[in-house]
């Protein structure tokens, strides 16, 4: 009764732009959709169920987006490192990845097997359970603070957010690595070396007049085959594993040399 009274008395205005107020209403909407999903018989109303699941995941995206904004403002120096994201395939890096991870964590915590990957799912389940518990703690703490003071970030909030951020980053790496091929650190560093080599090769070829800027701007087809060969020939003495005969063949095929 007391909680309902405090909610009625101190509930922030829907138009309030402060992050805690935005979170409060985003979380309310998520809870409403979740409650409707729980009460729905998906076999009798499959279309309605599909629509609600889509709405539910959209609400999750919105809640996580606001939580991330709060963390950027509340614990900017304590955010968990996400340098590993550069190893993800391009198609994985999209705005609603966080919501998919939350949904995946809940499914794993409930005992589901993700995409027929039984061993990976079993290995991730303890982390998924810990993550979902941490997220519930964060949501509860933020809701409580939204009904107290929208301008204050308490130490309890900060600690809950730090713990959640670490767990979420750990789960993100584990989950994505289990779902799609993720480059190893060595593969990623080799890719970076090749990018640098190609860039230096193009710059050197431009200096020597072997190609023109227009050819690069127009994506000249012959150039796309030539740049790797130029790179091999130029860097052949420094590159391990490239035989001299292969470099000579590349040089003979290169139209600019």
């Amino acid at each position: 009764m007391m909680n309902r009274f405090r909610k009625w008395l101190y509930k922030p205005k829907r138009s309030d732009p402060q992050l805690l107020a935005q979170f409060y209403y985003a979380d309310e909407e998520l809870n409403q959709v979740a409650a409707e999903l729980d009460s729905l018989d998906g076999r009798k109303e499959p279309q309605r169920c599909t629509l609600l699941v889509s709405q539910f995941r959209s609400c999750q995206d919105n809640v996580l987006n606001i939580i991330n904004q709060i963390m950027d403002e509340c614990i900017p120096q304590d955010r968990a490192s996400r340098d590993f994201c550069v190893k993800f395939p391009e198609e994985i890096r999209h705005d609603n990845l966080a919501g998919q991870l939350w949904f995946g964590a809940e499914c794993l915590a409930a005992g589901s097997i993700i995409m027929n990957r039984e061993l990976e799912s079993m290995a991730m389940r303890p982390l998924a359970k810990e993550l979902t518990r941490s997220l519930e703690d964060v949501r509860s703490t933020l809701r409580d603070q939204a009904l107290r003071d929208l301008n204050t970030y308490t130490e309890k909030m900060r600690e809950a957010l730090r713990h959640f951020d670490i767990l979420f980053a750990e789960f993100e790496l584990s989950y994505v690595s289990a779902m799609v091929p993720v480059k190893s650190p060595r593969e990623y560093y080799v890719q970076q070396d090749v990018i640098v080599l190609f860039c230096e090769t193009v710059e050197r070829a431009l200096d020597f007049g072997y190609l023109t800027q227009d050819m690069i701007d127009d994506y000249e087809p012959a150039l796309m085959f030539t740049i790797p060969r130029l790179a091999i020939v130029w860097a052949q003495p420094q590159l391990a594993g490239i035989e001299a005969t292969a470099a000579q063949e590349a040089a003979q095929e290169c139209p600019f040399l």
Side-chain angles (χ1 to χ4, degrees), residues 14 32 43 93 110 122 129 135 159 190 207 213 225:
R14 186 175 290 274
Q32 290 171 7
R43 291 172 296 182
R93 304 181 203 176
M122 291 175 61
K129 289 181 178 180
L135 184 50
E159 185 56 38
V190 167
D207 291 341
Q213 187 65 47
F225 292 99

Side-chain angles (χ1 to χ4, degrees), residues 114-167:
I114 303 297
M115 293 179 66
N116 297 320
R117 288 174 165 81
E118 185 172 358
L119 292 179
E120 293 90 338
S121 296
M122 291 175 61
M124 286 188 290
R125 186 160 290 118
L127 177 58
K129 289 181 178 180
E130 189 176 0
L131 175 61
T132 53
R133 284 195 297 267
S134 175
L135 184 50
E136 283 304 311
D137 183 40
V138 166
R139 292 172 63 193
S140 175
T141 302
L142 294 183
R143 280 197 304 267
D144 183 69
Q145 187 60 29
L147 295 174
R148 294 177 182 276
D149 186 352
L150 296 174
N151 300 301
T152 301
Y153 292 148
T154 65
E155 186 54 38
K156 180 181 178 181
M157 278 180 56
R158 297 177 197 277
E159 185 56 38
L161 290 169
R162 289 189 195 100
H163 184 57
F164 164 70
D165 197 29
I166 292 171
L167 291 175

Side-chain angles (χ1 to χ4, degrees), residues 163-233:
H163 184 57
F164 164 70
D165 197 29
I166 292 171
L167 291 175
F168 198 87
E170 185 179 347
F171 183 77
E172 181 177 0
L173 177 58
S174 299
Y175 188 90
V176 174
S177 298
M179 297 304 108
V180 297
V182 174
K183 291 184 178 66
S184 68
R186 181 181 180 280
E187 289 172 329
Y188 175 71
Y189 292 134
V190 167
Q191 183 186 47
Q192 296 304 302
D193 289 341
V194 170
I195 291 171
V196 172
L197 175 60
F198 280 17
C199 290
E200 291 179 347
T201 298
V202 170
E203 183 177 358
R204 185 177 177 87
L206 284 170
D207 291 341
F208 280 91
Y210 294 152
L211 49 89
T212 66
Q213 187 65 47
D214 288 340
M215 297 173 67
I216 298 173
D217 295 339
D218 295 337
Y219 295 98
E220 179 69 31
L223 184 62
M224 298 302 105
F225 292 99
T226 298
I227 289 176
R229 294 167 182 166
L230 278 171
I232 290 173
V233 173

